[in-house]
Amino acid sequence: MRYLLLLSLLAAFAIPASAAYKCEANGKITYSDLPCPNARVVKLDDPVAPEEASSAERRAARDKTELQGLAYERHKQEAIADKEQRRLARLSGTRQKKVRITDAKKKMGG
């Protein structure tokens, strides 16, 4: 039973609207996928010309390549910063250790 309900919901969302209607009421124009009184069917065409589509695809591919390069550079910079942070933490630990040794020597009278 659940599968039938799920299947019917998926089918309802998967089926695109087959028509659009232009409705005019009280001087206001609205568009809907449901017909209204005195509605006119509006034909929906793909507004993108094939040349524009191929241009957009090339632009998208170029943007994707640029994005990958930027991500690579960001990861590289993060690795450098992480390495520097570990180096500084190591130096800080060494300095603290030297300070503790020096303090201990002073307390012992050395």
Side-chain angles (χ1 to χ4, degrees):
M1 184 67 178
R2 280 193 265 169
Y3 294 112
L4 183 60
L5 178 62
L6 180 62
L7 184 60
S8 63
L9 284 174
L10 288 175
F13 287 115
I15 299 172
S18 58
Y21 299 92
K22 181 178 180 180
C23 305
E24 186 173 347
N26 300 328
K28 292 177 104 179
I29 296 176
T30 58
Y31 294 89
S32 174
D33 59 345
L34 301 173
C36 57
N38 301 323
R40 289 189 322 170
V41 176
V42 179
K43 186 176 183 208
L44 301 175
D45 292 326
D46 187 8
V48 180
E51 303 83 33
E52 292 176 5
S54 64
S55 173
E57 289 172 359
R58 285 192 305 272
R59 197 172 338 116
R62 190 173 50 244
D63 289 348
K64 183 178 178 181
T65 302
E66 183 180 355
L67 179 63
Q68 288 172 340
L70 291 171
Y72 173 78
E73 286 298 319
R74 186 191 77 225
H75 289 301
K76 194 165 96 174
Q77 292 299 320
E78 287 174 351
I80 291 169
D82 188 43
K83 185 176 179 181
E84 180 65 13
Q85 189 174 12
R86 285 194 310 268
R87 186 185 71 79
L88 291 174
R90 206 172 37 249
L91 286 175
S92 176
T94 303
R95 287 186 184 135
Q96 288 176 358
K97 192 180 216 182
K98 287 181 182 178
V99 168
R100 284 192 299 252
I101 291 171
T102 305
D103 288 345
K105 285 183 179 178
K106 286 180 182 176
K107 286 182 182 178
M108 293 174 53

Short mmCIF file of all heavy atoms in Angstrom, two decimals, residues 20-81:
data_model
loop_
_atom_site.label_atom_id
_atom_site.label_comp_id
_atom_site.label_asym_id
_atom_site.label_seq_id
_atom_site.Cartn_x
_atom_site.Cartn_y
_atom_site.Cartn_z
N ALA A 20 0.20 25.75 -19.96
CA ALA A 20 0.12 26.91 -19.08
C ALA A 20 -1.05 27.74 -19.57
O ALA A 20 -1.32 27.81 -20.78
CB ALA A 20 1.40 27.71 -19.12
N TYR A 21 -1.74 28.34 -18.65
CA TYR A 21 -2.93 29.11 -19.00
C TYR A 21 -2.75 30.57 -18.61
O TYR A 21 -2.24 30.87 -17.52
CB TYR A 21 -4.16 28.54 -18.29
CG TYR A 21 -4.44 27.11 -18.67
CD1 TYR A 21 -3.92 26.05 -17.93
CD2 TYR A 21 -5.19 26.82 -19.80
CE1 TYR A 21 -4.17 24.75 -18.30
CE2 TYR A 21 -5.45 25.52 -20.17
CZ TYR A 21 -4.93 24.48 -19.42
OH TYR A 21 -5.17 23.19 -19.79
N LYS A 22 -3.16 31.45 -19.50
CA LYS A 22 -3.12 32.89 -19.23
C LYS A 22 -4.55 33.30 -18.87
O LYS A 22 -5.47 33.13 -19.66
CB LYS A 22 -2.64 33.65 -20.46
CG LYS A 22 -2.55 35.14 -20.25
CD LYS A 22 -2.02 35.81 -21.52
CE LYS A 22 -1.92 37.31 -21.32
NZ LYS A 22 -1.40 37.96 -22.52
N CYS A 23 -4.70 33.80 -17.67
CA CYS A 23 -6.02 34.16 -17.17
C CYS A 23 -6.07 35.66 -16.92
O CYS A 23 -5.09 36.25 -16.46
CB CYS A 23 -6.32 33.43 -15.86
SG CYS A 23 -6.15 31.64 -15.99
N GLU A 24 -7.20 36.24 -17.22
CA GLU A 24 -7.37 37.67 -16.96
C GLU A 24 -8.64 37.85 -16.14
O GLU A 24 -9.72 37.39 -16.53
CB GLU A 24 -7.47 38.46 -18.26
CG GLU A 24 -7.50 39.95 -18.03
CD GLU A 24 -7.43 40.75 -19.32
OE1 GLU A 24 -7.11 40.17 -20.37
OE2 GLU A 24 -7.69 41.94 -19.25
N ALA A 25 -8.51 38.49 -15.01
CA ALA A 25 -9.65 38.76 -14.14
C ALA A 25 -9.48 40.14 -13.53
O ALA A 25 -8.44 40.45 -12.95
CB ALA A 25 -9.75 37.71 -13.05
N ASN A 26 -10.48 40.99 -13.69
CA ASN A 26 -10.47 42.35 -13.15
C ASN A 26 -9.26 43.14 -13.63
O ASN A 26 -8.64 43.88 -12.87
CB ASN A 26 -10.52 42.34 -11.62
CG ASN A 26 -11.77 41.67 -11.09
OD1 ASN A 26 -12.82 41.74 -11.73
ND2 ASN A 26 -11.66 41.01 -9.95
N GLY A 27 -8.87 42.92 -14.86
CA GLY A 27 -7.74 43.66 -15.42
C GLY A 27 -6.38 43.13 -15.01
O GLY A 27 -5.35 43.67 -15.40
N LYS A 28 -6.32 42.08 -14.23
CA LYS A 28 -5.04 41.49 -13.80
C LYS A 28 -4.80 40.22 -14.59
O LYS A 28 -5.70 39.40 -14.76
CB LYS A 28 -5.07 41.15 -12.31
CG LYS A 28 -5.11 42.36 -11.41
CD LYS A 28 -5.21 41.93 -9.98
CE LYS A 28 -3.86 42.11 -9.33
NZ LYS A 28 -3.87 41.74 -7.91
N ILE A 29 -3.58 40.07 -15.07
CA ILE A 29 -3.21 38.88 -15.82
C ILE A 29 -2.40 37.97 -14.91
O ILE A 29 -1.46 38.40 -14.25
CB ILE A 29 -2.39 39.25 -17.07
CG1 ILE A 29 -3.25 40.08 -18.02
CG2 ILE A 29 -1.86 38.00 -17.75
CD1 ILE A 29 -2.51 40.58 -19.22
N THR A 30 -2.79 36.71 -14.87
CA THR A 30 -2.06 35.70 -14.11
C THR A 30 -1.82 34.50 -15.01
O THR A 30 -2.52 34.29 -15.99
CB THR A 30 -2.84 35.26 -12.86
OG1 THR A 30 -4.10 34.74 -13.25
CG2 THR A 30 -3.05 36.41 -11.89
N TYR A 31 -0.83 33.71 -14.65
CA TYR A 31 -0.50 32.49 -15.38
C TYR A 31 -0.62 31.33 -14.41
O TYR A 31 -0.22 31.44 -13.24
CB TYR A 31 0.91 32.56 -15.96
CG TYR A 31 1.05 33.62 -17.02
CD1 TYR A 31 1.40 34.93 -16.69
CD2 TYR A 31 0.79 33.33 -18.35
CE1 TYR A 31 1.50 35.91 -17.66
CE2 TYR A 31 0.90 34.29 -19.33
CZ TYR A 31 1.26 35.58 -18.97
OH TYR A 31 1.36 36.54 -19.95
N SER A 32 -1.15 30.22 -14.89
CA SER A 32 -1.37 29.08 -14.01
C SER A 32 -1.26 27.79 -14.81
O SER A 32 -1.37 27.79 -16.04
CB SER A 32 -2.78 29.19 -13.40
OG SER A 32 -3.08 28.04 -12.65
N ASP A 33 -1.03 26.70 -14.10
CA ASP A 33 -1.04 25.41 -14.77
C ASP A 33 -2.43 24.78 -14.71
O ASP A 33 -2.67 23.72 -15.26
CB ASP A 33 0.00 24.47 -14.16
CG ASP A 33 -0.22 24.24 -12.67
OD1 ASP A 33 -0.98 25.00 -12.06
OD2 ASP A 33 0.40 23.31 -12.13
N LEU A 34 -3.36 25.46 -14.04
CA LEU A 34 -4.76 25.03 -13.98
C LEU A 34 -5.61 25.99 -14.79
O LEU A 34 -5.44 27.21 -14.70
CB LEU A 34 -5.24 25.01 -12.53
CG LEU A 34 -4.45 24.11 -11.57
CD1 LEU A 34 -4.92 24.32 -10.15
CD2 LEU A 34 -4.60 22.65 -11.98
N PRO A 35 -6.54 25.46 -15.57
CA PRO A 35 -7.37 26.36 -16.36
C PRO A 35 -8.32 27.18 -15.48
O PRO A 35 -8.72 26.76 -14.42
CB PRO A 35 -8.15 25.42 -17.28
CG PRO A 35 -8.09 24.09 -16.61
CD PRO A 35 -6.85 24.07 -15.78
N CYS A 36 -8.63 28.36 -15.96
CA CYS A 36 -9.58 29.24 -15.28
C CYS A 36 -10.61 29.68 -16.32
O CYS A 36 -10.43 29.43 -17.51
CB CYS A 36 -8.85 30.42 -14.66
SG CYS A 36 -7.91 31.38 -15.85
N PRO A 37 -11.69 30.34 -15.91
CA PRO A 37 -12.67 30.79 -16.90
C PRO A 37 -12.02 31.74 -17.91
O PRO A 37 -11.22 32.59 -17.54
CB PRO A 37 -13.72 31.52 -16.06
CG PRO A 37 -13.52 31.02 -14.67
CD PRO A 37 -12.09 30.64 -14.55
N ASN A 38 -12.34 31.58 -19.15
CA ASN A 38 -11.82 32.41 -20.25
C ASN A 38 -10.28 32.32 -20.36
O ASN A 38 -9.63 33.30 -20.72
CB ASN A 38 -12.24 33.87 -20.10
CG ASN A 38 -13.74 34.02 -20.07
OD1 ASN A 38 -14.45 33.30 -20.76
ND2 ASN A 38 -14.24 34.93 -19.24
N ALA A 39 -9.74 31.19 -20.02
CA ALA A 39 -8.28 31.03 -20.08
C ALA A 39 -7.82 30.79 -21.50
O ALA A 39 -8.53 30.20 -22.31
CB ALA A 39 -7.85 29.87 -19.20
N ARG A 40 -6.62 31.28 -21.81
CA ARG A 40 -5.99 31.01 -23.10
C ARG A 40 -4.78 30.12 -22.85
O ARG A 40 -4.00 30.37 -21.91
CB ARG A 40 -5.52 32.31 -23.76
CG ARG A 40 -6.65 33.16 -24.27
CD ARG A 40 -6.15 34.31 -25.10
NE ARG A 40 -4.90 34.87 -24.54
CZ ARG A 40 -4.16 35.75 -25.15
NH1 ARG A 40 -4.50 36.20 -26.34
NH2 ARG A 40 -3.06 36.22 -24.60
N VAL A 41 -4.64 29.11 -23.65
CA VAL A 41 -3.49 28.23 -23.52
C VAL A 41 -2.27 28.95 -24.08
O VAL A 41 -2.31 29.52 -25.16
CB VAL A 41 -3.72 26.90 -24.27
CG1 VAL A 41 -2.47 26.03 -24.21
CG2 VAL A 41 -4.92 26.17 -23.69
N VAL A 42 -1.18 28.92 -23.32
CA VAL A 42 0.07 29.56 -23.73
C VAL A 42 1.05 28.46 -24.06
O VAL A 42 1.28 27.55 -23.25
CB VAL A 42 0.62 30.45 -22.59
CG1 VAL A 42 1.93 31.09 -23.00
CG2 VAL A 42 -0.38 31.51 -22.20
N LYS A 43 1.61 28.53 -25.25
CA LYS A 43 2.60 27.53 -25.66
C LYS A 43 3.95 27.90 -25.05
O LYS A 43 4.41 29.03 -25.18
CB LYS A 43 2.71 27.47 -27.18
CG LYS A 43 3.60 26.36 -27.65
CD LYS A 43 3.61 26.25 -29.15
CE LYS A 43 4.49 25.08 -29.48
NZ LYS A 43 5.11 25.16 -30.74
N LEU A 44 4.56 26.94 -24.39
CA LEU A 44 5.85 27.17 -23.76
C LEU A 44 6.93 26.53 -24.63
O LEU A 44 6.95 25.32 -24.82
CB LEU A 44 5.88 26.56 -22.36
CG LEU A 44 4.84 27.11 -21.39
CD1 LEU A 44 4.91 26.35 -20.08
CD2 LEU A 44 5.05 28.59 -21.16
N ASP A 45 7.80 27.35 -25.16
CA ASP A 45 8.92 26.86 -25.96
C ASP A 45 10.20 27.02 -25.17
O ASP A 45 10.28 27.80 -24.21
CB ASP A 45 9.05 27.66 -27.26
CG ASP A 45 7.89 27.40 -28.20
OD1 ASP A 45 7.38 26.27 -28.21
OD2 ASP A 45 7.49 28.34 -28.91
N ASP A 46 11.21 26.29 -25.59
CA ASP A 46 12.52 26.45 -24.99
C ASP A 46 13.09 27.78 -25.49
O ASP A 46 13.38 27.91 -26.69
CB ASP A 46 13.43 25.29 -25.36
CG ASP A 46 14.75 25.32 -24.63
OD1 ASP A 46 14.90 26.15 -23.71
OD2 ASP A 46 15.63 24.51 -24.96
N PRO A 47 13.27 28.77 -24.62
CA PRO A 47 13.71 30.09 -25.08
C PRO A 47 15.19 30.15 -25.43
O PRO A 47 15.67 31.17 -25.90
CB PRO A 47 13.39 30.98 -23.90
CG PRO A 47 13.49 30.09 -22.72
CD PRO A 47 13.02 28.75 -23.19
N VAL A 48 15.92 29.10 -25.21
CA VAL A 48 17.36 29.12 -25.45
C VAL A 48 17.66 28.57 -26.84
O VAL A 48 17.28 27.45 -27.17
CB VAL A 48 18.11 28.29 -24.38
CG1 VAL A 48 19.60 28.31 -24.63
CG2 VAL A 48 17.79 28.81 -22.99
N ALA A 49 18.32 29.38 -27.63
CA ALA A 49 18.73 28.94 -28.97
C ALA A 49 19.86 27.93 -28.84
O ALA A 49 20.62 27.95 -27.88
CB ALA A 49 19.18 30.15 -29.78
N PRO A 50 20.02 27.05 -29.82
CA PRO A 50 21.09 26.04 -29.76
C PRO A 50 22.48 26.66 -29.62
O PRO A 50 23.33 26.13 -28.91
CB PRO A 50 20.95 25.28 -31.08
CG PRO A 50 19.56 25.50 -31.51
CD PRO A 50 19.16 26.85 -30.98
N GLU A 51 22.71 27.81 -30.29
CA GLU A 51 24.02 28.47 -30.18
C GLU A 51 24.26 28.95 -28.76
O GLU A 51 25.36 28.83 -28.22
CB GLU A 51 24.13 29.66 -31.14
CG GLU A 51 23.89 29.35 -32.59
CD GLU A 51 22.41 29.33 -32.95
OE1 GLU A 51 21.62 30.09 -32.37
OE2 GLU A 51 22.06 28.51 -33.81
N GLU A 52 23.20 29.49 -28.14
CA GLU A 52 23.33 29.96 -26.77
C GLU A 52 23.54 28.79 -25.82
O GLU A 52 24.30 28.91 -24.84
CB GLU A 52 22.09 30.75 -26.36
CG GLU A 52 21.94 32.07 -27.07
CD GLU A 52 20.64 32.77 -26.71
OE1 GLU A 52 19.90 32.28 -25.84
OE2 GLU A 52 20.36 33.81 -27.31
N ALA A 53 22.90 27.68 -26.08
CA ALA A 53 23.05 26.50 -25.23
C ALA A 53 24.48 25.98 -25.28
O ALA A 53 25.07 25.67 -24.25
CB ALA A 53 22.07 25.41 -25.66
N SER A 54 25.05 25.89 -26.50
CA SER A 54 26.42 25.39 -26.59
C SER A 54 27.39 26.39 -25.96
O SER A 54 28.37 26.00 -25.34
CB SER A 54 26.80 25.10 -28.04
OG SER A 54 26.78 26.29 -28.80
N SER A 55 27.11 27.67 -26.12
CA SER A 55 27.95 28.69 -25.47
C SER A 55 27.86 28.56 -23.95
O SER A 55 28.88 28.66 -23.25
CB SER A 55 27.50 30.08 -25.91
OG SER A 55 28.18 31.07 -25.19
N ALA A 56 26.67 28.33 -23.45
CA ALA A 56 26.49 28.16 -22.00
C ALA A 56 27.20 26.91 -21.51
O ALA A 56 27.78 26.91 -20.43
CB ALA A 56 25.00 28.11 -21.67
N GLU A 57 27.15 25.83 -22.30
CA GLU A 57 27.84 24.60 -21.91
C GLU A 57 29.35 24.82 -21.86
O GLU A 57 30.02 24.35 -20.95
CB GLU A 57 27.49 23.48 -22.89
CG GLU A 57 26.08 22.98 -22.75
CD GLU A 57 25.69 22.00 -23.84
OE1 GLU A 57 26.51 21.73 -24.73
OE2 GLU A 57 24.54 21.53 -23.80
N ARG A 58 29.89 25.56 -22.86
CA ARG A 58 31.33 25.85 -22.85
C ARG A 58 31.69 26.70 -21.65
O ARG A 58 32.70 26.47 -20.98
CB ARG A 58 31.74 26.54 -24.14
CG ARG A 58 31.80 25.63 -25.35
CD ARG A 58 32.49 26.30 -26.53
NE ARG A 58 31.90 27.57 -26.91
CZ ARG A 58 30.88 27.73 -27.76
NH1 ARG A 58 30.33 26.66 -28.31
NH2 ARG A 58 30.42 28.93 -28.05
N ARG A 59 30.86 27.69 -21.35
CA ARG A 59 31.10 28.57 -20.21
C ARG A 59 31.05 27.77 -18.90
O ARG A 59 31.88 27.95 -18.02
CB ARG A 59 30.07 29.70 -20.18
CG ARG A 59 30.45 30.84 -19.31
CD ARG A 59 29.53 32.05 -19.44
NE ARG A 59 28.78 32.12 -20.68
CZ ARG A 59 27.45 32.04 -20.75
NH1 ARG A 59 26.72 31.89 -19.68
NH2 ARG A 59 26.83 32.12 -21.93
N ALA A 60 30.08 26.85 -18.81
CA ALA A 60 29.96 26.02 -17.61
C ALA A 60 31.18 25.12 -17.45
O ALA A 60 31.69 24.94 -16.33
CB ALA A 60 28.69 25.19 -17.67
N ALA A 61 31.67 24.55 -18.56
CA ALA A 61 32.87 23.71 -18.49
C ALA A 61 34.08 24.53 -18.07
O ALA A 61 34.89 24.07 -17.26
CB ALA A 61 33.11 23.06 -19.86
N ARG A 62 34.19 25.75 -18.61
CA ARG A 62 35.30 26.63 -18.23
C ARG A 62 35.21 27.00 -16.76
O ARG A 62 36.21 26.98 -16.03
CB ARG A 62 35.28 27.87 -19.12
CG ARG A 62 36.50 28.74 -19.00
CD ARG A 62 36.53 29.88 -20.03
NE ARG A 62 35.30 30.65 -20.07
CZ ARG A 62 34.47 30.74 -21.11
NH1 ARG A 62 34.74 30.09 -22.22
NH2 ARG A 62 33.38 31.48 -21.05
N ASP A 63 34.00 27.31 -16.29
CA ASP A 63 33.80 27.65 -14.88
C ASP A 63 34.13 26.47 -13.98
O ASP A 63 34.73 26.64 -12.91
CB ASP A 63 32.36 28.11 -14.62
CG ASP A 63 32.06 29.47 -15.23
OD1 ASP A 63 33.02 30.17 -15.64
OD2 ASP A 63 30.87 29.83 -15.29
N LYS A 64 33.76 25.26 -14.41
CA LYS A 64 34.05 24.06 -13.62
C LYS A 64 35.56 23.85 -13.50
O LYS A 64 36.06 23.55 -12.42
CB LYS A 64 33.39 22.84 -14.27
CG LYS A 64 33.57 21.57 -13.48
CD LYS A 64 32.87 20.41 -14.13
CE LYS A 64 33.09 19.14 -13.35
NZ LYS A 64 32.43 18.00 -13.99
N THR A 65 36.27 24.04 -14.61
CA THR A 65 37.72 23.89 -14.59
C THR A 65 38.35 24.94 -13.67
O THR A 65 39.25 24.62 -12.88
CB THR A 65 38.30 24.05 -16.02
OG1 THR A 65 37.70 23.06 -16.85
CG2 THR A 65 39.80 23.89 -16.03
N GLU A 66 37.87 26.16 -13.76
CA GLU A 66 38.39 27.22 -12.89
C GLU A 66 38.10 26.91 -11.43
O GLU A 66 38.95 27.11 -10.56
CB GLU A 66 37.77 28.56 -13.28
CG GLU A 66 38.31 29.72 -12.47
CD GLU A 66 37.69 31.05 -12.87
OE1 GLU A 66 36.91 31.10 -13.84
OE2 GLU A 66 37.97 32.04 -12.18
N LEU A 67 36.92 26.42 -11.14
CA LEU A 67 36.54 26.06 -9.78
C LEU A 67 37.44 24.96 -9.23
O LEU A 67 37.89 25.02 -8.08
CB LEU A 67 35.08 25.62 -9.73
CG LEU A 67 34.55 25.21 -8.37
CD1 LEU A 67 34.60 26.38 -7.39
CD2 LEU A 67 33.13 24.70 -8.50
N GLN A 68 37.73 23.97 -10.06
CA GLN A 68 38.63 22.89 -9.64
C GLN A 68 40.02 23.43 -9.34
O GLN A 68 40.66 23.03 -8.37
CB GLN A 68 38.69 21.80 -10.71
CG GLN A 68 37.43 20.99 -10.81
CD GLN A 68 37.43 20.05 -12.00
OE1 GLN A 68 38.17 20.24 -12.97
NE2 GLN A 68 36.56 19.05 -11.97
N GLY A 69 40.50 24.37 -10.18
CA GLY A 69 41.81 24.97 -9.93
C GLY A 69 41.82 25.77 -8.64
O GLY A 69 42.79 25.70 -7.86
N LEU A 70 40.76 26.51 -8.39
CA LEU A 70 40.67 27.29 -7.14
C LEU A 70 40.62 26.38 -5.93
O LEU A 70 41.24 26.66 -4.89
CB LEU A 70 39.45 28.21 -7.18
CG LEU A 70 39.51 29.37 -8.16
CD1 LEU A 70 38.15 30.06 -8.25
CD2 LEU A 70 40.59 30.36 -7.76
N ALA A 71 39.88 25.27 -6.04
CA ALA A 71 39.80 24.32 -4.93
C ALA A 71 41.17 23.70 -4.67
O ALA A 71 41.58 23.55 -3.51
CB ALA A 71 38.77 23.24 -5.24
N TYR A 72 41.90 23.38 -5.73
CA TYR A 72 43.24 22.82 -5.58
C TYR A 72 44.16 23.82 -4.87
O TYR A 72 44.88 23.47 -3.94
CB TYR A 72 43.81 22.45 -6.95
CG TYR A 72 45.26 22.03 -6.89
CD1 TYR A 72 45.61 20.77 -6.46
CD2 TYR A 72 46.27 22.91 -7.27
CE1 TYR A 72 46.93 20.37 -6.39
CE2 TYR A 72 47.59 22.53 -7.20
CZ TYR A 72 47.93 21.27 -6.77
OH TYR A 72 49.25 20.89 -6.69
N GLU A 73 44.10 25.07 -5.30
CA GLU A 73 44.94 26.10 -4.67
C GLU A 73 44.56 26.30 -3.21
O GLU A 73 45.42 26.47 -2.36
CB GLU A 73 44.82 27.43 -5.43
CG GLU A 73 45.56 27.44 -6.74
CD GLU A 73 47.06 27.24 -6.57
OE1 GLU A 73 47.65 27.82 -5.63
OE2 GLU A 73 47.64 26.49 -7.37
N ARG A 74 43.25 26.29 -2.92
CA ARG A 74 42.81 26.46 -1.54
C ARG A 74 43.34 25.32 -0.67
O ARG A 74 43.85 25.54 0.43
CB ARG A 74 41.29 26.51 -1.46
CG ARG A 74 40.81 26.83 -0.03
CD ARG A 74 39.33 26.65 0.16
NE ARG A 74 39.07 25.23 0.28
CZ ARG A 74 38.10 24.58 -0.32
NH1 ARG A 74 37.28 25.22 -1.12
NH2 ARG A 74 37.93 23.30 -0.14
N HIS A 75 43.23 24.08 -1.16
CA HIS A 75 43.72 22.93 -0.40
C HIS A 75 45.23 23.03 -0.19
O HIS A 75 45.75 22.70 0.88
CB HIS A 75 43.36 21.62 -1.09
CG HIS A 75 41.90 21.30 -1.03
ND1 HIS A 75 41.20 21.15 0.14
CD2 HIS A 75 41.00 21.12 -2.02
CE1 HIS A 75 39.94 20.88 -0.12
NE2 HIS A 75 39.79 20.86 -1.43
N LYS A 76 45.93 23.50 -1.21
CA LYS A 76 47.38 23.65 -1.11
C LYS A 76 47.73 24.68 -0.04
O LYS A 76 48.60 24.45 0.81
CB LYS A 76 47.94 24.06 -2.48
CG LYS A 76 49.43 23.92 -2.59
CD LYS A 76 49.86 23.98 -4.05
CE LYS A 76 50.27 25.37 -4.41
NZ LYS A 76 50.83 25.48 -5.77
N GLN A 77 47.03 25.82 -0.06
CA GLN A 77 47.28 26.87 0.93
C GLN A 77 46.91 26.40 2.34
O GLN A 77 47.60 26.72 3.31
CB GLN A 77 46.51 28.15 0.58
CG GLN A 77 47.00 28.84 -0.67
CD GLN A 77 48.45 29.27 -0.55
OE1 GLN A 77 48.89 29.74 0.50
NE2 GLN A 77 49.19 29.09 -1.63
N GLU A 78 45.82 25.63 2.45
CA GLU A 78 45.44 25.10 3.76
C GLU A 78 46.49 24.14 4.28
O GLU A 78 46.79 24.13 5.48
CB GLU A 78 44.08 24.41 3.68
CG GLU A 78 42.92 25.36 3.53
CD GLU A 78 41.60 24.64 3.30
OE1 GLU A 78 41.58 23.41 3.08
OE2 GLU A 78 40.57 25.34 3.34
N ALA A 79 47.07 23.33 3.41
CA ALA A 79 48.11 22.40 3.82
C ALA A 79 49.35 23.15 4.29
O ALA A 79 49.97 22.79 5.30
CB ALA A 79 48.47 21.45 2.67
N ILE A 80 49.70 24.22 3.59
CA ILE A 80 50.86 25.04 3.99
C ILE A 80 50.59 25.68 5.35
O ILE A 80 51.46 25.68 6.24
CB ILE A 80 51.16 26.11 2.91
CG1 ILE A 80 51.70 25.44 1.65
CG2 ILE A 80 52.14 27.16 3.44
CD1 ILE A 80 51.79 26.36 0.45
N ALA A 81 49.39 26.24 5.52
CA ALA A 81 49.05 26.89 6.79
C ALA A 81 49.03 25.87 7.93
O ALA A 81 49.50 26.17 9.05
CB ALA A 81 47.70 27.58 6.68
#
